[in-house]
Amino acid sequence: MGTPRPARWIMIGILLVAVIGVQLVFPQGHPLRAATGNSAAPWLILTGIGGVIFFYSRVISGLRAQTGVDADTPAAVPTRQGSFSETELNRYARHIILREVGGAGQKALRNAKVLVIGAGGLGAPVLQYLAAAGVGTIGVIDDDKVENTNLQRQVIHKDTNIGMPKVFSAQLEMQAQNPFVTVKPYNRRLDADLAPELFAEYDLVLDGCDNFDTRYLVNAACVAARIPLVSGALSQWEGQLSVFDPARGAPCYQCIFPTAPAAHLAPSCAEAGVIGPLPGVVGSMMAVEAVKIITGAGSPLLGQMVIYDALYAESRKIKIGPRTDCPVCGATQA
């Protein structure tokens, strides 16, 4: 009939209402009722299915409008600028429908640049969940190679990757999980010469390294660049994490740990051991803090430290504060 699409749907709706009316008003055995199925039930079921489809389409349209998705974008082509592709919209739908994240938060995640120190026990879940969450650019620096002893807890690495540099092993798994993110591997040890230049490229740093020299270096570089630092640590059955950010009134790492403990007081995982799932718990919590900082959701662990005891299933949160005599951030806090 050449009528516009909206008019067609109106005509179909009127016809459907008329058919249901015939079934409900006319007596049993009436020719019109017999000609239209002799029962209202199928038509009511059809109407219900149509209503569900219409409601779902409105929800999807709302998500598209919220995120700026372009339905004409090919689903197989990763897009990191402009609108989300249909595949990305579906992938991140559970984020987008969260009131605290929404389309704006998911865009912030895609535009974020996050650097992860270490691709080991803590780095493994951090990298996996940041990639899955759609953080657009993820850097990872580590000079170690995958060893058989890592696989009990460093779940991003596979047995077939033993001997491969950890940053490349992690990159393979992250991009296999989410081809819409960019992974920048740095197969080298972080040092004082590299840190300022490298950190300047990122908005947020997550530290999961296993030695105090690197921790103090990372902390100093973050303070100098005014970059938030999400820091986690492990020992046997216990883990801890906090967000250090003197630029926002929180302490820095060295405020809380002025000097490194004696070697026998803080043995490595190789010396003291660590329960396999513990890095997954603490690393996942670090990734959550990163997502909160990027999207502005909730309250990050600024001025607070969470201590998790896996052996007794206990968690404690303690308040921590800056020190004006801190050699790293004291001038900021004064």
Side-chain angles (χ1 to χ4, degrees):
M1 295 173 61
T3 57
R5 181 173 293 180
R8 296 179 213 170
W9 285 111
I10 292 173
M11 293 165 63
I12 291 172
I14 293 172
L15 181 60
L16 182 61
V17 169
V19 169
I20 294 173
V22 165
Q23 295 298 327
L24 295 176
V25 174
F26 283 73
Q28 188 75 25
H30 191 282
L32 279 178
R33 186 168 180 178
T36 53
N38 214 31
S39 173
W43 299 107
L44 291 173
I45 293 172
L46 180 63
T47 303
I49 293 173
V52 170
I53 294 173
F54 175 77
F55 176 75
Y56 179 76
S57 68
R58 298 304 299 173
V59 170
I60 293 298
S61 297
L63 291 176
R64 283 177 179 160
Q66 191 177 19
T67 61
V69 67
D70 183 357
D72 297 327
T73 303
V77 179
T79 57
R80 296 183 180 89
Q81 300 296 328
S83 60
F84 286 106
S85 70
E86 190 76 27
T87 300
E88 289 175 291
L89 177 67
N90 291 331
R91 181 181 294 256
Y92 306 130
R94 303 305 187 273
H95 269 178
I96 294 169
I97 62 177
L98 286 174
R99 176 173 55 84
E100 297 85 356
V101 178
Q106 193 60 49
K107 284 185 177 181
L109 288 169
R110 184 177 61 180
N111 294 332
K113 298 179 179 180
V114 178
L115 178 64
V116 178
I117 314 297
L122 289 172
V126 164
L127 292 167
Q128 287 175 307
Y129 275 110
L130 292 183
V135 172
T137 302
I138 305 170
V140 52
I141 183 166
D142 197 314
D143 68 341
D144 203 3
K145 294 182 179 180
V146 179
E147 298 179 2
N148 186 45
T149 55
N150 301 147
L151 304 184
Q152 162 254 11
R153 63 200 179 280
Q154 299 178 18
V155 293
I156 200 170
H157 307 300
K158 302 295 182 284
D159 186 78
T160 53
N161 291 345
I162 290 176
M164 179 186 293
K166 287 184 179 179
V167 292
F168 299 134
S169 172
Q171 180 187 28
L172 288 175
E173 296 301 319
M174 294 162 68
Q175 292 186 324
Q177 201 280 336
N178 190 351
F180 297 97
V181 303
T182 297
V183 181
K184 294 185 176 182
Y186 305 96
N187 183 29
R188 59 173 296 177
R189 192 172 190 82
L190 184 68
D191 58 37
D193 293 329
L194 173 65
E197 180 181 356
L198 179 62
F199 284 31
E201 299 179 19
Y202 292 92
D203 312 311
L204 175 65
V205 174
L206 284 81
D207 184 11
C209 71
D210 58 1
N211 69 87
F212 283 95
D213 289 342
T214 302
R215 287 186 179 277
Y216 287 122
L217 172 60
V218 170
N219 177 67
C222 285
V223 172
R226 300 176 67 84
I227 299 173
L229 169 63
V230 181
S231 180
L234 304 169
S235 178
Q236 297 183 324
W237 292 85
E238 187 174 281
Q240 63 185 40
L241 74 149
S242 184
V243 177
F244 299 108
D245 192 0
R248 290 162 184 81
C252 78
Y253 181 83
Q254 199 155 344
C255 286
I256 310 307
F257 304 101
T259 59
H264 69 281
L265 295 178
S268 66
C269 291
E271 297 168 324
V274 62
I275 191 68
L278 179 63
V281 175
V282 179
S284 297
M285 294 171 72
M286 292 172 64
V288 170
E289 291 303 306
V291 170
K292 286 160 55 180
I293 292 169
I294 294 167
T295 62
S299 300
L301 283 172
L302 293 167
Q304 302 174 89
M305 178 177 289
V306 168
I307 301 172
Y308 172 66
D309 186 337
L311 189 58
Y312 297 101
E314 294 178 348
S315 293
R316 304 186 302 279
K317 184 187 287 187
I318 61 174
K319 291 185 178 181
I320 54 177
R323 293 190 302 114
T324 56
D325 62 341
C326 175
V328 176
C329 73
T332 303
Q333 306 293 353

